[in-house]
Amino acid sequence: MKIHFLGTAAAEGWPGVFCRCEHCAKARRLGGKNIRTRSSAIIDDWIKIDFPPDTYYHVLRDNLDLAAIEHLFITHTHSDHLMADDLEKRTPVCAHGVEQPLHIYGHDLALHSIANAINMRSKLYELHLVHPFQTVRIDADTRVTPLLADHDKRKLQTCLLYFIERNGKSLLYGHDSGWFPQVTWSWLERQTFDGAVLDCTNGPLPGRSNHLNIEAVLEIQEIFRKKGMLRDSGKVIATHFSHNGGLLHDDLEQVFSPHGIIVAYDGMVLHL
Ligand SMILES: [Zn+2]
Ligand SMILES: [Zn+2]
Ligand SMILES: [Zn+2]
């Protein structure tokens, strides 16, 4: 399974859109892996998770053929994960030569936002309402199960994580989330997987509800290993970093490398 990380920042990006803090100044100065855009990933060049406002930039930076993506899974509607208006650009007069429909999966609020933005009469979109713990089969070799996150502070929407099984490999796409709700832990404890992408928004700062920090990521990896959930060659990947944490890419690698955890960066490609 190929995972292509398009963006690895929290909601404001790093450097933040308007931010003048010292951590954003340092990221600007150092550049490279310290420049983080809003979060999304592509699996096997075919499945995309989330549609952030930086998608157009991702297309330019990584020379993506976005029309080749046939399945789009939305975790939740926070503005760093869903820029619904750009989905409308997939049809004429904005796009030509696109023939395959884009299957879009999400909970009700996400699909409502998208339905309001696109031409619902177009055959180039198919919307699929998903429910926590109800597996969706995309093709004979690919199954995706939405899981519950602890994410929305106001508890006004159902935020989802996705467990992706494809050609014998499994990946937990586990953000945005705080410490997983018990119902998600119970479901996950019955699985084995090859990779887990975890939320590290808070970095070295305290806090593990709605978003995780370094300490919680380390603790979750321990649980995965102790309970035999992560397969022997399995990888844990930390992502969704906020400038408020202040740790630049090299600092994060110093923290995580001794534990065998991979620090995601924009454009990173990983094979499970
Ligand atoms: Zn986010
Ligand atoms: Zn900043
Ligand atoms: Zn969010």
Side-chain angles (χ1 to χ4, degrees):
M1 183 187 284
K2 174 184 172 191
I3 314 166
H4 181 175
F5 289 84
L6 301 176
T8 58
E12 58 284 318
W14 190 348
V17 185
F18 291 99
C19 192
R20 291 170 155 180
C21 83
E22 56 174 318
H23 310 308
C24 287
K26 198 167 177 190
R28 280 195 186 93
R29 200 169 62 244
L30 295 174
K33 292 175 183 174
N34 299 297
I35 304 298
R36 300 181 184 275
T37 61
R38 271 67 69 88
S39 293
S40 175
I42 295 176
I43 313 293
D44 289 343
D45 303 314
W46 189 57
I47 300 168
K48 191 176 192 299
I49 303 165
D50 287 335
F51 202 82
D54 298 327
T55 301
Y56 180 55
Y57 171 68
H58 297 156
V59 168
L60 298 178
R61 185 195 64 201
D62 294 351
N63 195 26
L64 302 176
D65 176 11
L66 210 54
I69 302 291
E70 290 180 43
H71 300 276
L72 173 64
F73 286 82
I74 303 296
T75 56
H76 63 298
T77 67
H78 292 165
S79 66
D80 56 323
H81 294 261
L82 178 59
M83 169 68 177
D85 286 342
D86 267 358
L87 283 167
E88 185 258 332
K89 308 293 185 293
R90 198 176 188 272
T91 51
V93 294
C94 295
H96 304 286
V98 183
E99 279 149 27
Q100 293 289 337
L102 176 65
H103 296 268
I104 307 174
Y105 309 80
H107 210 274
D108 41 17
L109 194 58
L111 293 194
H112 255 274
S113 313
I114 293 165
N116 288 336
I118 63 172
N119 174 5
M120 285 291 283
R121 289 187 303 276
S122 168
K123 289 188 168 60
L124 289 173
Y125 309 99
E126 284 189 30
L127 271 51
H128 307 267
L129 180 64
V130 297
H131 302 280
F133 309 106
Q134 291 186 18
T135 301
V136 179
R137 186 180 284 273
I138 294 181
D139 70 6
D141 303 312
T142 314
R143 293 149 45 94
V144 181
T145 307
L147 311 176
L148 277 176
D150 160 32
H151 181 52
D152 194 49
K153 261 190 201 144
R154 297 178 300 170
K155 304 214 182 298
L156 289 177
Q157 69 165 305
T158 305
C159 299
L160 298 173
L161 312 174
Y162 289 107
F163 190 84
I164 302 161
E165 298 163 88
R166 180 164 163 75
N167 299 325
K169 298 281 184 179
S170 307
L171 172 74
L172 167 64
Y173 193 86
H175 75 96
D176 295 359
S177 185
W179 195 259
F180 302 140
Q182 188 49 48
V183 64
T184 293
W185 274 115
S186 302
W187 191 92
L188 281 172
E189 281 168 12
R190 297 196 299 271
Q191 318 297 323
T192 54
F193 37 91
D194 304 280
V197 182
L198 298 179
D199 186 314
C200 196
T201 307
N202 295 330
L205 305 173
R208 55 171 62 185
S209 74
N210 312 128
H211 282 299
L212 295 177
N213 62 3
I214 289 169
E215 200 183 44
V217 168
L218 295 177
E219 207 174 313
I220 288 177
Q221 155 157 281
E222 273 291 306
I223 295 172
F224 285 169
R225 298 226 180 259
K226 217 164 62 198
K227 298 200 170 183
M229 298 156 73
L230 196 64
R231 291 178 185 147
D232 285 345
S233 55
K235 296 182 172 81
V236 170
I237 304 113
T239 190
H240 201 274
F241 299 104
S242 158
H243 61 148
N244 292 314
L247 296 183
L248 279 287
H249 186 82
D250 285 352
D251 305 324
L252 288 163
E253 280 201 325
Q254 273 188 23
V255 170
F256 280 122
S257 296
H259 302 274
I261 293 175
I262 295 168
V263 178
Y265 58 87
D266 282 29
M268 180 174 89
V269 174
L270 201 69
H271 292 270
L272 295 181

